[in-house]
Amino acid sequence: MVRESDRLIRTDVPHSARIWNYWLGGQDYYEVDRIAGESGISVYPDIGTMARQSRKFLIRAVRYLAAEAGIRQFLDVGTGLPTMQNTHEVAQDVAPESKIVYVDNDPLVLAHARALLVNTTDEGVTALIEADFHDTDQVVTEARNILNFNKPIAVMFMGVLGHARTWDDVLRITGALQQAIPSGSYFAMYEGTTEDPRLVRLSDYYSKTGAVPYYVRTVDQVREVFKNLDLVPPGVVPVNQWRTDSDATGEEPSAAWGGIGRKL
């Protein structure tokens, strides 16, 4: 049976999640996405590197949260297309009892997620909420059906807040989620920044392709999201410098900056 949301998938217009999948070296894209992706590479040749650095940051962040911070509940907002080492796979590899709730409202993402984001352990839970991250009340209300908001939760926004309509929206969204989680919880995010002018040019180009615009932020703006949290060392830094794996040695600083903060 074809879901109503599945009928909304467009293959004639570039799609942000599919373009990102192309830059990551995946296979879940169409020709229109490949063309847009190649055009993006011509503007910013290092975009594939940044995409891979960002994915490695997500993996390290989740592993830190599960293994070192002891978090067993994750709210991953703006899931994107499933790829290797998704949040639930990393968390449940460390702690099989972990509960992971993904949030997205993109028809393509939802179709893939329904097929691929399934439980990996008998003890744990992996669930999907269909919601727009601008509607924080819906996100929190539906997440409460699965997660215990009296116990620590890790909220994650990994490279998706660039799609927020305004910077005020970013502060409202992140503030609402930070307020909803209890003390001892964590907040993790990264965003593409204006540190590399080529990424700014790519953002301008991207908005003309027909895909949902992505607005790069300043490093100060990224830091502002963490202003009420206790930052985990090394703070807000290029994603390939956050508790860096040895394979990142010698890399230039990434244009994507991020960090993790703890709610006191």
Side-chain angles (χ1 to χ4, degrees):
M1 179 178 178
V2 178
R3 295 177 176 85
E4 184 63 31
S5 60
D6 293 342
R7 297 191 184 99
L8 301 176
I9 296 174
R10 297 283 300 272
T11 61
D12 59 332
V13 176
H15 184 282
S16 59
R18 296 193 309 244
I19 296 171
W20 191 253
N21 184 267
Y22 177 76
W23 286 332
L24 276 171
Q27 298 180 339
D28 294 317
Y29 56 86
Y30 293 97
E31 180 65 10
V32 67
D33 308 304
R34 185 196 66 79
I35 293 171
E38 283 297 321
S39 297
I41 290 171
S42 71
V43 175
Y44 182 31
D46 291 334
I47 185 61
T49 298
M50 192 188 90
R52 292 186 292 273
Q53 289 171 335
S54 301
R55 170 55 54 168
K56 291 178 181 178
F57 169 72
L58 181 150
I59 294 168
R60 293 197 305 275
V62 174
R63 189 171 294 127
Y64 165 82
L65 290 165
E68 297 187 45
I71 296 296
R72 298 294 179 263
Q73 301 188 108
F74 295 80
L75 182 60
D76 188 343
V77 185
T79 308
L81 283 171
T83 183
M84 63 184 302
Q85 296 195 67
N86 300 289
T87 298
H88 72 284
E89 294 170 314
V90 178
Q92 291 175 346
D93 182 60
V94 174
E97 70 275 20
S98 296
K99 295 181 178 180
I100 295 84
V101 173
Y102 292 103
V103 180
D104 215 301
N105 71 329
D106 186 281
L108 179 74
V109 170
L110 294 169
H112 279 260
R114 290 186 185 108
L116 298 178
L117 297 180
V118 297
N119 282 343
T120 58
T121 68
D122 292 333
E123 304 96 321
V125 173
T126 304
L128 175 68
I129 292 174
E130 183 173 354
D132 184 333
F133 62 61
H134 288 87
D135 188 349
T136 55
D137 287 343
Q138 181 188 358
V139 171
V140 172
T141 296
E142 296 201 28
R144 286 185 186 276
N145 294 328
I146 303 164
L147 304 178
N148 183 348
F149 274 67
N150 293 316
K151 294 183 178 180
I153 297 170
V155 174
M156 299 167 52
F157 284 89
M158 295 300 193
V160 298
L161 287 169
H163 293 302
R165 291 183 287 261
T166 67
W167 181 245
D168 285 343
D169 277 330
V170 172
L171 295 180
R172 177 185 61 80
I173 292 162
T174 56
L177 269 294
Q178 290 174 14
Q179 184 176 12
I181 55 180
S183 297
S185 294
Y186 287 80
F187 181 91
M189 71 169 284
Y190 79 79
E191 285 299 323
T193 70
T194 58
E195 289 297 290
D196 192 323
R198 298 173 301 171
L199 184 58
V200 178
R201 289 196 296 271
L202 174 57
S203 175
D204 292 340
Y205 162 80
Y206 190 76
S207 66
K208 299 173 184 177
T209 66
V212 177
Y214 181 90
Y215 304 103
V216 293
R217 312 298 185 182
T218 67
V219 171
D220 284 344
Q221 284 177 320
V222 176
R223 290 195 175 110
E224 185 179 5
V225 174
F226 292 90
K227 64 182 180 181
N228 295 320
L229 304 173
D230 184 21
L231 276 169
V232 173
V236 174
V237 296
V239 291
N240 62 326
Q241 295 181 0
W242 194 91
R243 296 179 174 245
T244 307
D245 290 341
S246 59
D247 63 357
T249 302
E251 287 184 352
E252 292 294 322
S254 177
W257 284 56
I260 296 179
R262 182 176 184 271
K263 182 174 179 179
L264 299 176

